[in-house]
Amino acid sequence: ALVAVACTLVLALASNVAAETGTIPIPIGSDSDVLVLSLRAGDVVDASWAATGLVEFRIELLNGAGLFSQTVQTGTATVTIPLDGVYVFSFRNRTLAQVTVNWTISKRLDVAVIVIALVAAVLIGLAAIAIWRSRRRPQLWSPMAPQPPTPPSG
């Protein structure tokens, strides 16, 4: 049971970690930074958004180097981060009216962390089962209480 609970918890965490969501109004021709994350090369980020008008979704290094850009009203993106650094996630209004954007951005949990957690959960479960079984198993021998000496015959 302990192993099942640990595995369920790990799998629930595996889908996404550091998920952020929000709703933001963006005036005509304006940008809005919605999230800043420190990421490592190989991290995978999932994003989805729905706006009331055309918006450009961007991911850029903090120093301004662009990594990803997509201009749509409703979109999704999965991006693998190429370099360690601080990344800015933003939207730019591409219409002639104010837009409202509902967004979600999530960093996926590293697969190595999942594997390590699963192995740890299994080892803990096996140890718990071994302890439980050793306490339930009757002992094959038990020390006898000292017996009084037998009287001499005769």
Side-chain angles (χ1 to χ4, degrees), residues 51-139:
T52 56
L54 193 63
V55 293
E56 179 185 3
F57 172 67
R58 294 188 316 250
I59 303 173
E60 299 174 334
L61 273 164
L62 190 58
N63 69 9
L67 169 64
F68 178 85
S69 175
Q70 184 176 13
T71 303
V72 293
Q73 185 170 341
T74 300
T76 60
T78 298
V79 178
T80 301
I81 301 302
L83 304 168
D84 292 359
V86 177
Y87 288 82
V88 179
F89 298 80
S90 62
F91 291 94
R92 180 172 200 48
N93 183 345
R94 293 293 186 185
T95 69
L96 298 176
Q98 177 172 300
V99 296
T100 300
V101 181
N102 295 309
W103 57 271
T104 300
I105 299 170
S106 308
K107 176 188 166 280
R108 290 187 188 172
L109 186 62
D110 186 3
V111 174
V113 173
I114 296 169
V115 171
I116 291 168
L118 282 173
V119 169
V122 168
L123 292 176
I124 290 168
L126 291 174
I129 290 168
I131 291 169
W132 176 73
R133 290 181 81 191
S134 71
R135 290 184 179 171
R136 286 197 53 214
R137 183 180 305 153
Q139 293 187 359

Coordinates of all heavy atoms in Angstrom, one line a residue, residues 51-139:
A51 N -6.9 34.2 -25.9 CA -7.0 35.7 -25.8 C -8.3 36.1 -26.6 O -8.8 35.4 -27.4 CB -5.8 36.3 -26.4
T52 N -8.7 37.3 -26.2 CA -9.9 37.9 -26.9 C -9.5 38.5 -28.3 O -10.4 39.0 -28.9 CB -10.5 38.9 -26.0 OG1 -9.6 39.9 -25.7 CG2 -11.1 38.3 -24.7
G53 N -8.2 38.4 -28.6 CA -7.8 39.0 -29.9 C -6.4 38.4 -30.2 O -5.9 37.6 -29.4
L54 N -5.8 38.8 -31.3 CA -4.5 38.2 -31.7 C -3.4 38.7 -30.8 O -3.3 39.9 -30.5 CB -4.3 38.7 -33.2 CG -3.1 38.0 -33.9 CD1 -3.4 36.5 -34.1 CD2 -2.9 38.7 -35.2
V55 N -2.6 37.7 -30.3 CA -1.5 38.1 -29.4 C -0.3 37.3 -29.9 O -0.4 36.3 -30.5 CB -1.8 37.7 -27.9 CG1 -2.8 38.6 -27.4 CG2 -2.1 36.3 -27.7
E56 N 0.9 37.9 -29.6 CA 2.2 37.2 -29.8 C 2.7 36.7 -28.5 O 2.9 37.5 -27.6 CB 3.2 38.1 -30.5 CG 4.5 37.5 -30.7 CD 5.6 38.5 -31.2 OE1 5.3 39.7 -31.3 OE2 6.7 38.0 -31.5
F57 N 2.9 35.4 -28.4 CA 3.5 34.8 -27.2 C 5.0 34.6 -27.4 O 5.4 34.1 -28.5 CB 2.8 33.4 -26.9 CG 3.5 32.6 -25.8 CD1 3.5 33.1 -24.5 CD2 4.2 31.4 -26.1 CE1 4.1 32.4 -23.5 CE2 4.8 30.7 -25.1 CZ 4.8 31.2 -23.8
R58 N 5.8 35.1 -26.5 CA 7.2 35.0 -26.6 C 7.9 34.4 -25.4 O 7.5 34.7 -24.3 CB 7.8 36.4 -26.9 CG 7.3 37.1 -28.2 CD 8.1 38.4 -28.4 NE 8.2 39.2 -27.2 CZ 7.5 40.4 -27.1 NH1 6.7 40.8 -28.0 NH2 7.6 41.1 -26.0
I59 N 9.0 33.7 -25.7 CA 9.9 33.3 -24.7 C 11.3 33.8 -25.0 O 11.8 33.6 -26.1 CB 10.0 31.7 -24.6 CG1 8.6 31.1 -24.3 CG2 11.0 31.3 -23.5 CD1 8.6 29.6 -24.4
E60 N 11.9 34.6 -24.1 CA 13.2 35.2 -24.4 C 14.1 35.0 -23.2 O 13.6 35.0 -22.0 CB 13.0 36.7 -24.6 CG 12.1 37.0 -25.8 CD 11.9 38.5 -26.0 OE1 11.9 39.2 -24.9 OE2 11.6 38.9 -27.1
L61 N 15.4 34.9 -23.4 CA 16.4 35.0 -22.4 C 16.3 36.4 -21.8 O 15.9 37.4 -22.5 CB 17.8 34.8 -22.9 CG 18.2 33.3 -22.9 CD1 19.5 33.2 -23.8 CD2 18.5 32.8 -21.5
L62 N 16.6 36.5 -20.5 CA 16.5 37.8 -19.8 C 17.3 38.9 -20.5 O 16.9 40.1 -20.6 CB 16.9 37.7 -18.4 CG 16.6 38.9 -17.5 CD1 15.1 39.2 -17.4 CD2 17.1 38.7 -16.1
N63 N 18.4 38.5 -21.2 CA 19.2 39.5 -21.9 C 18.6 39.9 -23.2 O 19.2 40.7 -23.9 CB 20.6 39.0 -22.1 CG 20.7 37.8 -23.1 OD1 19.7 37.5 -23.7 ND2 21.8 37.2 -23.2
G64 N 17.4 39.3 -23.6 CA 16.8 39.7 -24.8 C 16.8 38.8 -26.0 O 16.2 39.0 -27.0
A65 N 17.7 37.8 -25.9 CA 17.8 36.8 -27.0 C 16.5 36.0 -27.1 O 16.1 35.4 -26.2 CB 19.0 35.9 -26.9
G66 N 15.8 36.1 -28.3 CA 14.5 35.4 -28.4 C 14.7 33.9 -28.6 O 15.7 33.4 -29.3
L67 N 13.8 33.1 -28.0 CA 13.9 31.7 -28.2 C 12.7 31.1 -28.9 O 12.8 30.3 -29.8 CB 13.9 31.0 -26.8 CG 13.7 29.5 -26.7 CD1 14.8 28.8 -27.4 CD2 13.6 29.0 -25.3
F68 N 11.5 31.7 -28.7 CA 10.3 31.2 -29.3 C 9.3 32.4 -29.4 O 9.2 33.3 -28.6 CB 9.7 30.2 -28.4 CG 8.4 29.6 -28.9 CD1 8.3 28.5 -29.8 CD2 7.2 30.1 -28.4 CE1 7.2 28.0 -30.2 CE2 6.0 29.6 -28.9 CZ 6.0 28.6 -29.8
S69 N 8.5 32.3 -30.5 CA 7.5 33.3 -30.8 C 6.4 32.7 -31.6 O 6.7 32.0 -32.6 CB 8.1 34.5 -31.5 OG 7.1 35.5 -31.8
Q70 N 5.2 33.0 -31.2 CA 4.0 32.5 -32.0 C 2.9 33.5 -31.9 O 2.6 33.9 -30.8 CB 3.6 31.1 -31.4 CG 2.4 30.5 -32.2 CD 2.1 29.1 -31.7 OE1 2.5 28.7 -30.6 NE2 1.3 28.4 -32.5
T71 N 2.3 33.9 -33.0 CA 1.3 34.9 -33.0 C -0.1 34.2 -33.4 O -0.3 33.9 -34.6 CB 1.6 36.0 -33.9 OG1 2.8 36.6 -33.5 CG2 0.5 37.1 -33.9
V72 N -0.9 34.0 -32.4 CA -2.3 33.4 -32.6 C -3.2 33.9 -31.5 O -2.7 34.3 -30.5 CB -2.2 31.9 -32.6 CG1 -1.5 31.3 -33.8 CG2 -1.6 31.3 -31.4
Q73 N -4.4 33.7 -31.7 CA -5.4 34.1 -30.6 C -5.4 33.1 -29.5 O -5.5 33.4 -28.3 CB -6.8 34.3 -31.2 CG -7.8 34.9 -30.2 CD -9.1 35.3 -30.9 OE1 -9.1 35.5 -32.0 NE2 -10.1 35.4 -30.0
T74 N -5.4 31.8 -29.9 CA -5.5 30.7 -29.0 C -4.4 29.7 -29.4 O -4.3 29.3 -30.6 CB -6.8 30.0 -29.0 OG1 -7.8 30.9 -28.7 CG2 -6.9 28.8 -28.0
G75 N -3.5 29.3 -28.5 CA -2.4 28.5 -28.9 C -1.8 27.6 -27.7 O -2.2 27.8 -26.6
T76 N -1.0 26.7 -28.2 CA -0.2 25.9 -27.2 C 1.2 25.8 -27.8 O 1.5 25.9 -29.0 CB -0.8 24.5 -27.1 OG1 -0.8 23.9 -28.4 CG2 -2.2 24.5 -26.6
A77 N 2.1 25.6 -26.9 CA 3.5 25.4 -27.3 C 4.2 24.5 -26.3 O 3.9 24.6 -25.1 CB 4.2 26.8 -27.3
T78 N 5.1 23.7 -26.8 CA 6.0 22.9 -25.9 C 7.4 23.3 -26.4 O 7.8 23.1 -27.6 CB 5.8 21.4 -26.1 OG1 4.4 21.1 -25.6 CG2 6.8 20.6 -25.2
V79 N 8.3 23.8 -25.5 CA 9.6 24.3 -25.8 C 10.6 23.6 -25.0 O 10.5 23.6 -23.7 CB 9.6 25.8 -25.7 CG1 11.0 26.4 -26.0 CG2 8.6 26.5 -26.6
T80 N 11.7 23.1 -25.6 CA 12.8 22.6 -24.8 C 13.9 23.7 -24.7 O 14.3 24.3 -25.7 CB 13.4 21.4 -25.5 OG1 12.4 20.4 -25.7 CG2 14.6 20.8 -24.8
I81 N 14.3 24.0 -23.5 CA 15.2 25.1 -23.2 C 16.6 24.7 -23.7 O 17.1 23.7 -23.3 CB 15.1 25.5 -21.7 CG1 13.7 25.9 -21.3 CG2 16.2 26.6 -21.4 CD1 13.1 27.0 -22.1
P82 N 17.3 25.5 -24.5 CA 18.6 25.2 -25.0 C 19.7 25.5 -24.1 O 20.8 24.9 -24.2 CB 18.7 26.0 -26.3 CG 17.8 27.2 -26.1 CD 16.7 26.7 -25.2
L83 N 19.6 26.6 -23.3 CA 20.7 27.1 -22.5 C 20.2 27.4 -21.1 O 19.1 27.8 -20.9 CB 21.3 28.4 -23.1 CG 21.7 28.4 -24.5 CD1 21.9 29.8 -25.0 CD2 23.0 27.6 -24.6
D84 N 21.1 27.2 -20.1 CA 20.8 27.6 -18.7 C 20.6 29.1 -18.8 O 21.3 29.8 -19.5 CB 22.0 27.3 -17.8 CG 22.2 25.8 -17.6 OD1 21.4 25.0 -18.1 OD2 23.1 25.5 -16.8
G85 N 19.7 29.6 -18.0 CA 19.5 31.0 -17.9 C 18.1 31.4 -17.3 O 17.3 30.6 -16.9
V86 N 17.9 32.7 -17.3 CA 16.6 33.2 -16.8 C 15.8 33.6 -18.0 O 16.3 34.4 -18.9 CB 16.8 34.5 -15.9 CG1 15.5 35.1 -15.4 CG2 17.7 34.1 -14.7
Y87 N 14.6 33.1 -18.1 CA 13.7 33.3 -19.2 C 12.5 34.1 -18.9 O 11.9 33.9 -17.8 CB 13.3 31.9 -19.8 CG 14.4 31.2 -20.5 CD1 15.4 30.5 -19.8 CD2 14.6 31.4 -21.9 CE1 16.4 29.9 -20.4 CE2 15.7 30.7 -22.6 CZ 16.6 30.0 -21.8 OH 17.6 29.4 -22.4
V88 N 12.1 35.0 -19.8 CA 10.9 35.8 -19.6 C 9.8 35.3 -20.6 O 10.1 35.1 -21.8 CB 11.2 37.3 -19.9 CG1 10.0 38.2 -19.8 CG2 12.4 37.8 -19.0
F89 N 8.6 35.1 -20.1 CA 7.5 34.7 -20.9 C 6.5 35.9 -21.0 O 6.2 36.5 -20.0 CB 6.7 33.6 -20.2 CG 7.6 32.3 -20.1 CD1 8.6 32.3 -19.0 CD2 7.5 31.3 -20.9 CE1 9.4 31.2 -18.9 CE2 8.3 30.2 -20.8 CZ 9.3 30.1 -19.8
S90 N 6.2 36.3 -22.2 CA 5.4 37.5 -22.4 C 4.4 37.4 -23.5 O 4.5 36.5 -24.4 CB 6.3 38.7 -22.6 OG 7.0 38.5 -23.8
F91 N 3.4 38.3 -23.5 CA 2.5 38.4 -24.6 C 2.5 39.9 -25.1 O 2.7 40.8 -24.3 CB 1.0 38.1 -24.1 CG 0.9 36.7 -23.7 CD1 1.1 36.2 -22.4 CD2 0.5 35.7 -24.7 CE1 0.9 34.9 -22.1 CE2 0.3 34.4 -24.3 CZ 0.5 34.0 -23.0
R92 N 2.3 40.0 -26.4 CA 2.2 41.3 -27.1 C 0.8 41.4 -27.8 O 0.5 40.5 -28.5 CB 3.3 41.5 -28.0 CG 3.3 42.9 -28.7 CD 4.5 43.1 -29.5 NE 4.9 44.4 -29.9 CZ 5.0 45.5 -29.2 NH1 4.7 45.4 -27.9 NH2 5.4 46.6 -29.6
N93 N 0.1 42.5 -27.5 CA -1.2 42.7 -28.2 C -0.9 43.1 -29.6 O -0.2 44.1 -29.9 CB -1.9 43.8 -27.4 CG -3.3 44.1 -28.0 OD1 -3.6 43.7 -29.1 ND2 -4.1 44.8 -27.2
R94 N -1.5 42.3 -30.6 CA -1.3 42.6 -32.0 C -2.6 43.1 -32.6 O -2.8 43.0 -33.8 CB -0.8 41.3 -32.7 CG 0.5 40.9 -32.3 CD 1.5 41.9 -32.8 NE 2.9 41.4 -32.6 CZ 4.0 42.2 -32.8 NH1 3.8 43.4 -33.3 NH2 5.2 41.7 -32.6
T95 N -3.5 43.7 -31.8 CA -4.8 44.2 -32.3 C -4.9 45.7 -32.1 O -4.0 46.3 -31.5 CB -6.0 43.5 -31.6 OG1 -6.0 43.9 -30.3 CG2 -5.9 42.0 -31.6
L96 N -6.0 46.2 -32.6 CA -6.3 47.6 -32.4 C -7.3 47.9 -31.2 O -8.0 48.9 -31.2 CB -6.8 48.2 -33.7 CG -5.9 48.2 -34.9 CD1 -6.5 48.7 -36.1 CD2 -4.6 48.9 -34.5
A97 N -7.3 46.9 -30.3 CA -8.2 47.1 -29.1 C -7.5 46.3 -28.0 O -6.6 45.5 -28.2 CB -9.6 46.4 -29.4
Q98 N -7.9 46.6 -26.8 CA -7.4 45.9 -25.6 C -7.8 44.4 -25.7 O -8.9 44.1 -26.1 CB -7.9 46.5 -24.3 CG -7.4 45.7 -23.1 CD -7.8 46.4 -21.8 OE1 -7.4 47.5 -21.5 NE2 -8.6 45.7 -20.9
V99 N -6.9 43.5 -25.3 CA -7.2 42.1 -25.3 C -7.0 41.6 -23.9 O -6.2 42.2 -23.1 CB -6.3 41.3 -26.3 CG1 -6.6 41.7 -27.7 CG2 -4.9 41.4 -25.9
T100 N -7.7 40.5 -23.6 CA -7.5 39.8 -22.3 C -6.9 38.4 -22.6 O -7.5 37.7 -23.5 CB -8.8 39.7 -21.5 OG1 -9.2 41.0 -21.2 CG2 -8.6 39.0 -20.2
V101 N -5.9 38.0 -21.9 CA -5.3 36.7 -22.2 C -5.4 35.8 -20.9 O -5.0 36.3 -19.8 CB -3.8 36.9 -22.5 CG1 -3.1 35.5 -22.8 CG2 -3.6 37.8 -23.7
N102 N -5.9 34.6 -21.1 CA -5.8 33.6 -20.0 C -4.7 32.6 -20.4 O -4.7 32.1 -21.5 CB -7.2 32.8 -20.0 CG -8.3 33.7 -19.6 OD1 -8.3 34.3 -18.6 ND2 -9.4 33.7 -20.3
W103 N -3.8 32.4 -19.5 CA -2.6 31.7 -19.8 C -2.2 30.7 -18.7 O -2.5 30.8 -17.6 CB -1.4 32.6 -20.1 CG -1.1 33.5 -19.0 CD1 -1.6 34.7 -18.8 CD2 -0.2 33.2 -17.9 NE1 -1.1 35.3 -17.6 CE2 -0.2 34.4 -17.1 CE3 0.6 32.2 -17.5 CZ2 0.5 34.5 -15.9 CZ3 1.4 32.3 -16.4 CH2 1.3 33.4 -15.6
T104 N -1.5 29.6 -19.2 CA -0.9 28.6 -18.2 C 0.5 28.3 -18.8 O 0.6 28.0 -20.0 CB -1.8 27.3 -18.2 OG1 -3.1 27.7 -17.7 CG2 -1.1 26.3 -17.3
I105 N 1.5 28.3 -17.9 CA 2.8 28.0 -18.3 C 3.3 27.0 -17.2 O 3.3 27.3 -16.0 CB 3.7 29.2 -18.4 CG1 3.2 30.2 -19.4 CG2 5.2 28.8 -18.6 CD1 3.9 31.5 -19.5
S106 N 3.9 25.9 -17.6 CA 4.3 24.8 -16.7 C 5.7 24.3 -17.1 O 5.9 24.1 -18.3 CB 3.3 23.6 -16.7 OG 2.0 24.1 -16.6
K107 N 6.5 24.1 -16.1 CA 7.8 23.4 -16.4 C 7.6 21.9 -16.0 O 7.2 21.6 -14.9 CB 8.9 24.0 -15.5 CG 10.2 23.4 -15.6 CD 11.2 23.9 -14.6 CE 12.4 23.0 -14.5 NZ 12.3 21.9 -13.6
R108 N 8.0 21.1 -16.9 CA 7.8 19.6 -16.7 C 8.9 19.2 -15.7 O 10.0 19.7 -15.7 CB 8.0 18.8 -17.9 CG 6.8 19.0 -18.9 CD 7.0 18.0 -20.0 NE 6.0 18.3 -21.0 CZ 5.9 17.7 -22.2 NH1 6.9 16.8 -22.5 NH2 5.0 18.0 -23.1
L109 N 8.5 18.2 -14.9 CA 9.5 17.6 -13.9 C 10.5 16.8 -14.7 O 10.2 16.1 -15.6 CB 8.7 16.7 -12.9 CG 9.5 16.1 -11.8 CD1 10.1 17.3 -10.9 CD2 8.6 15.2 -11.0
D110 N 11.7 16.9 -14.3 CA 12.8 16.1 -14.9 C 12.6 14.6 -14.7 O 12.3 14.2 -13.6 CB 14.1 16.6 -14.2 CG 15.4 16.0 -14.9 OD1 15.2 15.3 -15.9 OD2 16.5 16.2 -14.3
V111 N 12.8 13.9 -15.8 CA 12.5 12.4 -15.8 C 13.5 11.7 -14.7 O 13.1 10.8 -14.1 CB 12.8 11.8 -17.2 CG1 12.7 10.3 -17.1 CG2 11.7 12.4 -18.1
A112 N 14.7 12.2 -14.6 CA 15.6 11.6 -13.6 C 15.0 11.7 -12.2 O 15.2 10.8 -11.4 CB 17.0 12.3 -13.7
V113 N 14.4 12.8 -11.9 CA 13.8 13.0 -10.5 C 12.7 12.0 -10.4 O 12.6 11.4 -9.3 CB 13.2 14.4 -10.4 CG1 12.5 14.6 -9.1 CG2 14.4 15.4 -10.4
I114 N 11.9 11.7 -11.4 CA 10.8 10.7 -11.3 C 11.4 9.3 -11.1 O 10.9 8.6 -10.2 CB 10.0 10.8 -12.6 CG1 9.3 12.1 -12.8 CG2 8.9 9.6 -12.6 CD1 8.7 12.3 -14.1
V115 N 12.4 9.0 -11.8 CA 13.0 7.7 -11.7 C 13.6 7.5 -10.3 O 13.4 6.4 -9.6 CB 14.1 7.4 -12.7 CG1 14.9 6.2 -12.5 CG2 13.4 7.4 -14.1
I116 N 14.3 8.5 -9.8 CA 14.9 8.4 -8.4 C 13.8 8.2 -7.4 O 13.9 7.4 -6.5 CB 15.8 9.6 -8.2 CG1 17.1 9.5 -9.0 CG2 16.2 9.7 -6.7 CD1 17.9 10.8 -9.1
A117 N 12.7 9.0 -7.5 CA 11.6 9.0 -6.6 C 11.0 7.6 -6.6 O 10.6 7.0 -5.5 CB 10.6 10.1 -6.8
L118 N 10.8 7.0 -7.8 CA 10.1 5.7 -7.9 C 11.0 4.6 -7.2 O 10.5 3.8 -6.5 CB 9.8 5.4 -9.3 CG 8.6 6.0 -10.0 CD1 8.6 5.7 -11.5 CD2 7.4 5.6 -9.3
V119 N 12.3 4.7 -7.5 CA 13.2 3.7 -6.9 C 13.2 3.8 -5.4 O 13.1 2.8 -4.7 CB 14.6 3.9 -7.5 CG1 15.6 3.1 -6.7 CG2 14.7 3.5 -9.0
A120 N 13.2 5.1 -4.9 CA 13.2 5.3 -3.4 C 11.9 4.7 -2.9 O 11.9 4.1 -1.8 CB 13.4 6.8 -3.1
A121 N 10.8 5.0 -3.5 CA 9.5 4.5 -3.0 C 9.4 3.0 -3.0 O 8.9 2.4 -2.0 CB 8.4 5.0 -3.9
V122 N 10.0 2.3 -4.0 CA 10.0 0.9 -4.0 C 10.9 0.3 -2.9 O 10.5 -0.6 -2.2 CB 10.4 0.4 -5.4 CG1 10.8 -1.1 -5.4 CG2 9.4 0.7 -6.5
L123 N 12.1 0.9 -2.7 CA 12.9 0.5 -1.7 C 12.3 0.6 -0.3 O 12.4 -0.2 0.6 CB 14.3 1.2 -1.8 CG 15.2 0.8 -3.0 CD1 16.4 1.7 -3.0 CD2 15.5 -0.7 -3.0
I124 N 11.7 1.8 -0.1 CA 11.0 2.0 1.2 C 9.9 1.0 1.4 O 9.7 0.5 2.5 CB 10.5 3.5 1.3 CG1 11.7 4.4 1.4 CG2 9.5 3.7 2.5 CD1 11.3 5.9 1.2
G125 N 9.1 0.8 0.4 CA 8.1 -0.2 0.5 C 8.6 -1.6 0.8 O 8.0 -2.3 1.6
L126 N 9.6 -2.0 0.1 CA 10.2 -3.3 0.4 C 10.8 -3.5 1.8 O 10.6 -4.5 2.5 CB 11.3 -3.7 -0.6 CG 10.9 -3.9 -2.1 CD1 12.1 -4.0 -3.0 CD2 10.0 -5.1 -2.2
A127 N 11.4 -2.4 2.3 CA 11.9 -2.4 3.7 C 10.7 -2.5 4.6 O 10.8 -3.2 5.6 CB 12.7 -1.1 3.9
A128 N 9.6 -1.8 4.4 CA 8.5 -1.8 5.3 C 7.8 -3.2 5.3 O 7.5 -3.7 6.3 CB 7.4 -0.8 4.8
I129 N 7.8 -3.8 4.1 CA 7.2 -5.2 4.0 C 8.1 -6.2 4.8 O 7.6 -7.0 5.6 CB 7.0 -5.6 2.6 CG1 5.9 -4.8 1.9 CG2 6.8 -7.1 2.5 CD1 5.8 -5.0 0.4
A130 N 9.4 -6.1 4.6 CA 10.3 -7.0 5.3 C 10.2 -6.8 6.8 O 10.2 -7.8 7.6 CB 11.8 -6.7 4.9
I131 N 10.1 -5.6 7.3 CA 10.0 -5.4 8.8 C 8.7 -5.9 9.3 O 8.6 -6.6 10.3 CB 10.1 -3.8 9.1 CG1 11.5 -3.4 8.8 CG2 9.6 -3.6 10.5 CD1 11.7 -1.9 8.8
W132 N 7.6 -5.7 8.5 CA 6.3 -6.2 8.9 C 6.3 -7.7 9.0 O 5.8 -8.3 9.9 CB 5.2 -5.7 7.9 CG 3.9 -6.2 8.2 CD1 3.0 -5.8 9.2 CD2 3.2 -7.2 7.4 NE1 1.8 -6.5 9.1 CE2 1.9 -7.3 8.0 CE3 3.5 -7.9 6.2 CZ2 1.0 -8.2 7.4 CZ3 2.6 -8.7 5.7 CH2 1.3 -8.9 6.3
R133 N 6.9 -8.4 8.0 CA 6.9 -9.8 7.9 C 7.8 -10.4 9.0 O 7.4 -11.4 9.6 CB 7.4 -10.3 6.6 CG 6.4 -10.0 5.5 CD 6.9 -10.5 4.1 NE 6.6 -12.0 4.1 CZ 7.0 -12.8 3.1 NH1 7.8 -12.3 2.2 NH2 6.7 -14.0 3.1
S134 N 8.9 -9.7 9.4 CA 9.7 -10.3 10.4 C 9.1 -10.2 11.8 O 9.3 -11.0 12.7 CB 11.1 -9.5 10.4 OG 10.9 -8.2 10.9
R135 N 8.2 -9.2 12.0 CA 7.5 -9.1 13.3 C 6.3 -10.1 13.4 O 5.9 -10.4 14.4 CB 7.0 -7.7 13.4 CG 8.1 -6.7 13.7 CD 7.6 -5.3 13.9 NE 8.7 -4.5 14.2 CZ 8.6 -3.2 14.3 NH1 7.4 -2.6 14.2 NH2 9.7 -2.4 14.5
R136 N 5.8 -10.5 12.2 CA 4.7 -11.5 12.2 C 5.1 -12.9 12.3 O 4.4 -13.8 12.7 CB 3.8 -11.3 11.0 CG 3.0 -10.0 11.0 CD 1.9 -10.0 10.0 NE 1.1 -11.3 10.1 CZ 0.5 -11.9 9.1 NH1 0.7 -11.4 7.9 NH2 -0.2 -13.0 9.3
R137 N 6.3 -13.2 11.8 CA 6.8 -14.6 11.7 C 7.1 -15.2 13.1 O 7.8 -14.6 13.8 CB 8.0 -14.6 10.8 CG 8.6 -16.0 10.6 CD 9.8 -16.0 9.7 NE 9.6 -15.3 8.5 CZ 10.5 -14.6 7.8 NH1 11.7 -14.6 8.2 NH2 10.2 -14.0 6.7
P138 N 6.5 -16.3 13.4 CA 6.9 -16.9 14.7 C 8.4 -17.4 14.6 O 8.8 -17.8 13.6 CB 6.0 -18.1 14.8 CG 5.5 -18.4 13.4 CD 5.6 -17.1 12.6
Q139 N 9.0 -17.2 15.7 CA 10.4 -17.6 15.8 C 10.5 -19.2 15.8 O 9.7 -19.8 16.5 CB 11.1 -17.0 17.0 CG 11.2 -15.5 16.9 CD 12.0 -14.9 18.0 OE1 12.5 -15.6 18.9 NE2 12.2 -13.6 18.0

